[in-house]
Amino acid sequence: MVRFGIAGIGVIARDYAKLIVEGRAGDCEIAALSSRSKAHMEQLKEDFGLCGAALFTDYRAMLDSGAVDAVIICTPHSLHPSMAKDAVERGIHALIEKPIGVFPDEVEDLLRTLRARRDVKSGVLYCRRAGSAFQKLHGLAEEGFFGRLKRASWIITNLYRPQAYHSAQTWKGTYAGEGGGLLLTQASHQLDLLLWMLGAPESVHAFCGFGVERDIEVEDDAVLHLRYPDDLTAQFIASSREFPGSNRLELSGSAGQAVLDDDRTLTLRTLAQDEREFSRTTNEMFGRVPFSEESVVFDDADNAAQQAAIIANFVSAIERDERVLCSVEDALLSLRTINAAYLSAWTGETIPLDFDAKEYRRALESRFH
C-alpha cells in the first residue's frame, strides 16, 4: 500500500483524491495533506472521509513526518521542480502535475537529483498517455507501422475557455503566475502526446496570439512548425477561444497513415507497398498506391479514467519497478518545446531545441509584472 501525501489542495487535487478514495488508482491511500490553507485541507478531509490523514501547513514537515511514501504535487507550475526535488532528496517518490515546471534549468536540476537517487520513482501527470487510442498509436510508431514518417499534424481547437476561466484567480493568464498560456496549460497534453510519438524536434517556429479576445497576457492561439531530421515535419495548431472547435490528429508515413478524431475514432490505412518504392517503380504519372483501411473506436477518452490509470501506473512503478508512463525527462522535452515556441513567437525566429536556458529565463522574466 503506497501512502500518498497531496501537496496543494485545489480543483485538480480534489479530482485525484476522489479517484484514490474510490479505489480506482491502484493499491494506495491518502495519508497526508499539505497546504498553506488549513481550511482547504479540512474541507477535503471531511468531503472524502479521510479520517486518518495528517494535515501539514509546512510541506517539508510532511516529507519529514514519516507519514508518506510518495507525494502528488498539485501546486502552481513554478513550484513543481523544487518541491519534487525536496521529496526525492528524502527518498520520497514524486508524482508531479503537468507541466513539469516553467524554467528548463530548474527541471534539469531535478533530473540531476533523480540520477543520484535511482531508488526513487518520479513521474508527471500527463494522463492522456494512458488512453487506449494513444497507447495504440505509440505502439504502432514503435513497431514501424508508418515506415518512414513524413508528416504529422494536430488540430486541437476544442479547448474553449471563456473570460470567466481566466478571471477566476488573479494569477491565471499571467506570465508571473502561470509562466505561459495555452501551450503550457490547456494544450500541453496533446503536445506531449505528439512528442511521445515523434521524439524531439530539431527546431521550432511558432506564431502565437497573445490575449486575443481575452483579457490575459499569455497566448490563447498557437501554430507550431516542428522540424525533424529526415524531412519529417509536424504542425501543431491549438486554440482556447474557438467553439466548438476540432480535435484531429494525422500521422502519415511511407508505409501507412493514421487519423484519430476526438481521441476516439482511429482510422488506419496500410499501404500495399512502401510509397518510396512505389514512386521509384511506377510508370503511372498519377499513380495511387493500393491500401487497406480499418477503423477502431475507443471508449476510454474520459479524463477521469486516464487520471486514474496514470496514478495506478505510478503505484505499480513503486511497488513492482514498472516503467513510469511519463518520466521527468519526457516532460522536460515537452517544456523545452513549449519554451522554444515562446522564444520563436517573441522573436520571429526559428529556435533550436538546445536553446540557452538562461536566455529563456531572461526573456520570460522580462514579461513579469
Side-chain angles (χ1 to χ4, degrees):
M1 174 74 72
V2 174
R3 300 172 303 159
F4 274 119
I6 299 181
I9 309 302
V11 173
I12 194 66
R14 294 181 67 85
D15 290 343
Y16 297 145
K18 184 174 187 291
L19 295 169
I20 293 170
V21 168
E22 290 176 348
R24 298 174 60 185
D27 187 23
C28 61
E29 64 179 4
I30 300 171
L33 304 173
S34 170
S35 172
R36 290 177 298 180
S37 171
K38 191 171 183 181
H40 287 172
M41 291 189 289
E42 290 174 340
Q43 188 63 58
L44 188 144
K45 183 173 181 177
E46 179 183 346
D47 290 346
F48 294 104
L50 302 175
C51 301
L55 305 184
F56 298 87
T57 55
D58 184 318
Y59 172 66
R60 289 190 178 95
M62 180 178 76
L63 297 178
D64 293 333
S65 69
V68 301
D69 308 306
V71 290
I72 301 177
I73 297 171
C74 303
T75 52
H77 304 161
S78 62
L79 300 177
H80 292 175
S82 61
M83 293 182 72
K85 182 180 177 182
D86 284 342
V88 171
E89 287 176 336
R90 290 164 170 80
I92 294 172
H93 310 287
L95 184 57
I96 309 153
E97 177 55 25
K98 61 84 184 170
I100 183 61
V102 172
F103 295 109
D105 54 347
E106 295 177 350
V107 182
E108 287 159 3
D109 185 43
L110 168 60
L111 278 174
R112 285 189 288 271
T113 303
L114 284 165
R115 289 172 185 138
R117 290 298 307 256
R118 298 288 184 179
D119 57 319
V120 178
K121 298 291 184 181
S122 67
V124 181
L125 283 150
Y126 275 118
C127 61
R128 298 199 182 280
R129 289 192 180 205
S132 298
F134 299 111
Q135 287 281 319
K136 175 70 173 178
L137 283 171
H138 184 257
L140 289 172
E142 287 195 323
E143 294 161 10
F145 168 84
F146 298 101
R148 181 172 171 176
L149 274 166
K150 296 172 177 281
R151 182 185 60 81
S153 66
W154 202 329
I155 299 175
I156 179 69
T157 58
N158 64 345
L159 304 170
Y160 185 68
R161 298 292 189 276
Q163 183 62 47
Y165 169 86
H166 301 292
S167 301
Q169 290 149 310
T170 56
W171 53 268
K172 282 193 170 186
T174 67
Y175 284 116
E178 289 195 275
L182 171 67
L183 293 174
L184 200 62
T185 54
Q186 293 87 39
S188 65
H189 280 293
Q190 289 74 25
L191 187 57
D192 167 73
L193 290 167
L194 189 66
L195 297 169
W196 189 38
M197 289 177 270
L198 301 184
E202 291 182 332
S203 63
V204 181
H205 196 101
F207 303 90
C208 293
F210 299 97
V212 182
E213 301 177 337
R214 302 290 187 270
D215 184 19
I216 56 176
E217 297 174 358
V218 296
E219 85 285 358
D220 50 4
D221 265 338
V223 178
L224 276 59
H225 183 75
L226 312 179
R227 293 301 302 259
Y228 284 82
D230 300 325
D231 300 317
L232 167 62
T233 62
Q235 290 76 41
F236 187 79
I237 301 170
S239 177
S240 60
R241 66 184 186 92
E242 296 181 28
F243 191 85
S246 300
N247 180 4
R248 184 179 179 89
L249 169 64
E250 295 187 7
L251 299 167
S252 294
S254 62
Q257 180 192 49
V259 179
L260 180 65
D261 287 303
D262 296 321
D263 298 349
R264 293 177 180 273
T265 306
L266 178 62
T267 301
L268 298 175
R269 300 182 177 111
T270 305
L271 303 189
Q273 183 181 12
D274 190 287
E275 182 279 327
R276 295 167 296 177
E277 179 64 21
F278 179 85
S279 177
R280 286 192 296 266
T281 59
T282 185
N283 294 320
E284 299 178 36
M285 288 179 60
F286 301 99
R288 295 171 59 86
V289 187
F291 67 91
S292 59
E293 180 176 301
E294 62 174 314
S295 291
V296 186
V297 178
F298 299 92
D299 62 359
D300 66 340
D302 174 66
N303 195 49
Q306 295 174 6
Q307 289 171 331
I310 202 162
I311 298 172
N313 161 258
F314 192 68
V315 170
S316 294
I318 294 170
E319 294 186 330
R320 293 182 284 279
D321 198 30
E322 294 182 4
R323 184 177 179 180
V324 174
L325 260 177
C326 184
S327 67
V328 171
E329 290 93 337
D330 291 345
L332 177 57
L333 170 58
S334 293
L335 180 62
R336 272 200 159 264
T337 303
I338 293 165
N339 293 161
Y342 288 156
L343 280 174
S344 178
W346 294 335
T347 65
E349 300 175 357
T350 298
I351 305 296
L353 205 67
D354 62 351
F355 62 85
D356 185 343
K358 292 181 180 177
E359 176 189 349
Y360 181 75
R361 179 179 287 274
R362 286 192 296 269
L364 180 59
E365 288 181 342
S366 72
R367 288 164 170 79
F368 288 179
H369 298 295

